[in-house]
Amino acid sequence: MIRYRTLDIEGIWGRLESLEFDASLYIQRFRINDILKRLDLPLIEVILGPRQSGKTTLLFMIMSELLSRNIVPEQIFYVNMDTIIPTEQFKNPMLLVRQLADQGLAGERAYLFIDEVQRLEYPGRFLKGVYDLGKDIKIVVSGSSSLEIKAKIKESLAGRKRETYLLPLSFREYVLHGKRLPPALNHVELDRSSVGQWVENEALYGRYLRNRMEEVAVFGGYPGVLKQEKREDRLEELSEIHTSYVKRDIIEFLNMEKPARINQLIKVLAGQVGNLMNKSEIASLTGTNTVTLSKYLNILQETYVTAYLPPLVSNRRNEIKRAHKCFFLDNGFRNLSISQFNSLGDRTDKGPLLENMVFSELLKHRTLDQGIRFWRTKAGSEVDFVISREQEDIPVEIKAGPARPGRLSKSFHAFLDHFSPKKGLFLNRDLFHVTDIKQTRVYYIPIHWFLFSGLEMILGVEGRTSHFHILLAKST
C-alpha cells in the first residue's frame, strides 16, 4: 500500500491518496538503483523515456522505497500532469513551495513527484524556480517526449539535475522477472577455464533463454506487451502504444495533420535495419526532400523510436566516415511497422532482427564512458559493432547461425589486423569458446547468453547500475 498527498478537485494539496502497490509484483528496473543512491542529494531527478516504458511505475517504486525508509505519507506529493489541468501553483513556483511547506511536516524534507512534466507550459523555468526556492524539496519528474521537453526547457538546469533514461525492458530485466536463475550466473566470467561451466549452464537454462530471446526479438520489450500471454493480446497492446505515439508525440506536438510520411519513413527504415543509410534513396521512397527527411529522422530519434549508429573513424582513407546505420530501440515497434511477427526460425530477416536486439541491449546497459560504433571500409569489410571503452576498441560480430572454433569472417580478421584489439566478441547461435588470434583474445558466445550477462562476462561492466544516455551522433 502506497499513501501520498495529491491534489483535490479545487487544486489544493491535502487529501491522502491510497494505492494498492506491491513492488514485488512488478518487473524490477535496474535504473532505480541510480536514483535511490541520490535521494538525499539536492538534485532534480529527471526520468525520460518513451510512453508505456514504465516511468510511472518507477515513480511509485521510488515512493514505496521512501515509505520503507520511514518517510511518512504527509511528506510525499504526487501529481500526474496528464490527468489534470495545470493549476496556479504549477505556474508560480513560490506558491507551490509555500503549499508544500504548509501541508508537509515542519522541518522535514518534502518529496515532489511530477509525472509527464512536459505538460507544464514552462517546465524548465518552473523546476528551476522550485529548486532555487525549496531547499528541502526533493524533485523527481518524468517525461515522455524529449523533443517536447527540449523545446520547452529553455532555462538551463545544468548542475541541478540528473537524467535517467528508461527504455523498454532489457532482456536481463525480463528474464530475471520470469525465472530466478542461480546467482552464480551473474558473476562467472567467461575464460578458458570456465567454458565447461558455461556449457553446463546452456544445458540447464539455454532453452529457457532462447525462448525468452525469441519473445523479445519478435514482440519487443514494452512491459505492457510482455505481460500479456496471448499473441493477439500482445499485438493489440503494441498497436495501442504505436497509436498513442503517433497521436500524442507526432500529431499533437508537431501539428501534423497527416502523419503518413512519418509512418512511411518508419516502414522504410524498418526494412533497412543494420544497413548504411542512403538519404537520397530514403527521401525518394518517402516522397520528401533531404532537409525534411533530416528533420523527420531527428524526430524519430528524439521520441525514442530509432537511434543512428555512426562509423568508427580512424586515420585510414579507405574507411566509411560519414554514413550512419539506423536501428530501432524496440524490436516490437519495428516489427509492427512491417506487420511481421513470425517466429525467428521462419524469418528471412532473422540476422538483422537479432542485430537490432543486440544494439538495443548495448544502449540499455551502456555507461557514460562507452561509445558504440560500427566499422566498414569502402572495399566492403565490416564489423557490426565496435564498443569503445578505456581507450580500447572491442569488435562485436553477430552470426545468427552456428559457429566453429577458430573460424571468423574476413572482415573480422581485417579489423584485428588493422587495430590489434585486446578483445573481440563473436556472437553466434550455440558455441562457447575462447581462443587467441595473434594479440587478440576472441570470445565465442551464444547470443542469448550475451544478451543476459555478456557485458559482465566479458567487459566487466555492471549493467544493472550503469547510467544510460544516448550519445550517438545526430542523423544530420
Side-chain angles (χ1 to χ4, degrees):
M1 174 74 70
I2 295 179
R3 300 183 71 212
Y4 52 88
R5 289 197 184 280
T6 188
L7 292 173
D8 61 23
I9 194 171
E10 296 179 352
I12 304 299
W13 297 97
R15 179 167 58 88
L16 280 175
E17 184 79 14
S18 296
L19 174 70
E20 291 289 344
F21 185 86
D22 184 351
S24 65
L25 299 179
Y26 292 86
I27 297 176
Q28 298 300 304
R29 306 305 300 268
F30 301 146
R31 295 299 169 198
I32 194 174
N33 297 327
D34 298 326
I35 300 172
L36 295 180
K37 292 176 182 178
R38 298 191 294 260
L39 280 181
D40 294 330
L41 299 180
L43 295 167
I44 300 173
E45 298 292 340
V46 182
I47 302 172
L48 301 171
R51 298 186 184 279
Q52 304 298 318
S53 63
K55 297 186 300 301
T56 298
T57 300
L58 189 65
L59 292 183
F60 285 128
M61 286 183 173
I62 297 170
M63 293 162 65
S64 178
E65 173 65 20
L66 287 173
L67 293 171
S68 72
R69 297 183 182 184
N70 296 320
I71 302 298
V72 297
E74 287 78 7
Q75 295 172 246
I76 301 173
F77 299 81
Y78 169 81
V79 62
N80 188 336
M81 303 310 299
D82 255 352
T83 62
I84 70 167
I85 298 175
T87 48
E88 186 60 31
Q89 63 264 52
F90 289 103
K91 300 176 183 178
N92 185 337
M94 183 174 293
L95 178 58
L96 178 62
V97 171
R98 288 175 179 174
Q99 285 186 337
L100 297 185
D102 292 341
Q103 295 293 332
L105 299 181
E108 298 293 337
R109 169 176 287 191
Y111 295 85
L112 174 63
F113 293 81
I114 305 177
D115 219 346
E116 301 298 349
V117 70
Q118 76 275 3
R119 295 298 181 188
L120 294 177
E121 186 175 4
Y122 301 107
R125 184 187 306 172
F126 174 79
L127 292 176
K128 180 177 182 294
V130 175
Y131 178 90
D132 291 342
L133 291 169
K135 298 302 183 182
D136 289 326
I137 301 175
K138 177 67 176 184
I139 306 170
V140 184
V141 304
S142 79
S144 292
S145 173
S146 68
L147 192 66
E148 189 170 1
I149 290 174
K150 287 179 180 179
K152 290 186 174 183
I153 296 182
K154 297 180 180 180
E155 293 78 16
S156 174
L157 293 178
R160 297 176 174 89
K161 66 178 173 63
R162 293 292 184 270
E163 294 180 350
T164 299
Y165 285 80
L166 192 71
L167 297 180
L169 297 173
S170 71
F171 182 69
R172 185 185 181 96
E173 286 171 331
Y174 180 50
V175 167
L176 290 181
H177 178 73
K179 185 173 184 176
R180 296 297 178 184
L181 299 180
L185 293 181
N186 298 337
H187 305 290
V188 178
E189 294 185 5
L190 176 62
D191 55 32
R192 286 191 175 93
S193 63
S194 66
V195 166
Q197 182 175 349
W198 282 104
V199 171
E200 292 178 4
N201 290 338
E202 168 67 13
L204 292 171
Y205 307 106
R207 176 177 294 182
Y208 175 78
L209 291 180
R210 285 194 300 272
N211 289 341
R212 300 292 78 75
M213 181 180 73
E214 170 139 348
E215 289 182 70
V216 178
V218 174
F219 295 104
Y222 279 97
V225 174
L226 289 178
K227 75 178 183 181
Q228 305 295 334
E229 295 184 0
K230 296 181 179 179
R231 171 188 173 88
E232 55 269 25
D233 292 337
R234 286 181 169 179
L235 294 178
E236 183 177 351
E237 182 70 21
L238 191 57
S239 178
E240 177 61 30
I241 293 173
H242 175 269
T243 300
S244 176
Y245 160 74
V246 171
K247 180 180 178 181
R248 305 184 75 172
D249 284 348
I250 299 299
I251 298 178
E252 289 185 8
F253 177 61
L254 298 172
N255 295 319
M256 284 187 176
E257 296 180 358
K258 297 180 180 180
R261 286 186 176 178
I262 278 282
N263 285 326
Q264 178 63 19
L265 175 58
I266 293 174
K267 186 174 182 179
V268 169
L269 295 176
Q272 300 184 5
V273 162
N275 295 333
L276 292 179
M277 295 174 61
N278 184 324
K279 286 191 175 182
S280 296
E281 177 185 357
I282 296 174
S284 177
L285 291 172
T286 56
T288 60
N289 55 53
T290 54
V291 174
T292 301
L293 174 64
S294 294
K295 174 185 175 182
Y296 287 175
L297 289 172
N298 187 50
I299 289 170
L300 294 180
Q301 180 173 0
E302 297 292 353
T303 51
Y304 311 104
V305 175
T306 58
Y308 310 112
L309 184 67
L312 176 69
V313 178
S314 65
N315 58 1
R316 293 173 175 80
R317 294 182 178 180
N318 68 334
E319 294 173 336
I320 298 293
K321 300 183 184 300
R322 298 190 63 182
H324 288 52
K325 290 185 176 184
C326 176
F327 292 94
F328 281 67
L329 269 67
D330 184 72
N331 274 36
F333 206 101
R334 181 262 180 183
N335 292 333
L336 180 70
S337 65
I338 58 174
S339 301
Q340 176 62 270
F341 290 95
N342 292 341
S343 61
L344 287 178
D346 299 327
R347 302 183 67 138
T348 58
D349 62 346
K350 179 179 180 180
L353 200 60
L354 291 175
E355 186 177 342
N356 192 90
M357 188 175 178
V358 170
F359 174 77
S360 177
E361 292 297 313
L362 288 174
L363 282 185
K364 292 169 185 175
H365 291 282
R366 180 182 180 178
T367 56
L368 288 176
D369 62 348
Q370 289 180 351
I372 307 173
R373 304 286 190 270
F374 73 93
W375 179 74
R376 181 165 175 165
T377 67
K378 295 177 181 178
S381 295
E382 182 175 351
V383 171
D384 295 323
F385 303 114
V386 179
I387 303 172
S388 301
R389 58 186 296 269
E390 299 177 355
Q391 299 182 336
E392 177 184 17
D393 292 325
I394 303 173
V396 181
E397 184 154 340
I398 303 169
K399 182 179 181 182
R404 295 176 59 185
R407 297 290 295 272
L408 298 168
S409 68
K410 292 182 179 179
S411 294
F412 201 87
H413 277 290
F415 187 93
L416 301 187
D417 291 339
H418 285 316
F419 294 94
S420 303
K422 296 179 181 179
K423 296 177 182 177
L425 309 181
F426 193 75
L427 310 186
N428 62 90
R429 188 181 69 185
D430 50 21
L431 176 67
F432 283 105
H433 184 67
V434 180
T435 188
D436 292 326
I437 298 179
K438 296 182 179 179
Q439 68 290 323
T440 304
R441 175 149 295 184
V442 178
Y443 300 85
Y444 294 73
I445 312 170
I447 297 173
H448 50 281
W449 279 107
F450 178 80
L451 293 172
F452 177 65
S453 59
L455 294 175
E456 294 178 21
M457 282 195 297
I458 305 301
L459 304 181
V461 174
E462 177 51 78
R464 288 172 292 178
T465 59
S466 60
H467 180 68
F468 165 74
H469 186 65
I470 298 179
L471 295 174
L472 301 182
K474 296 290 186 182
S475 62
T476 55

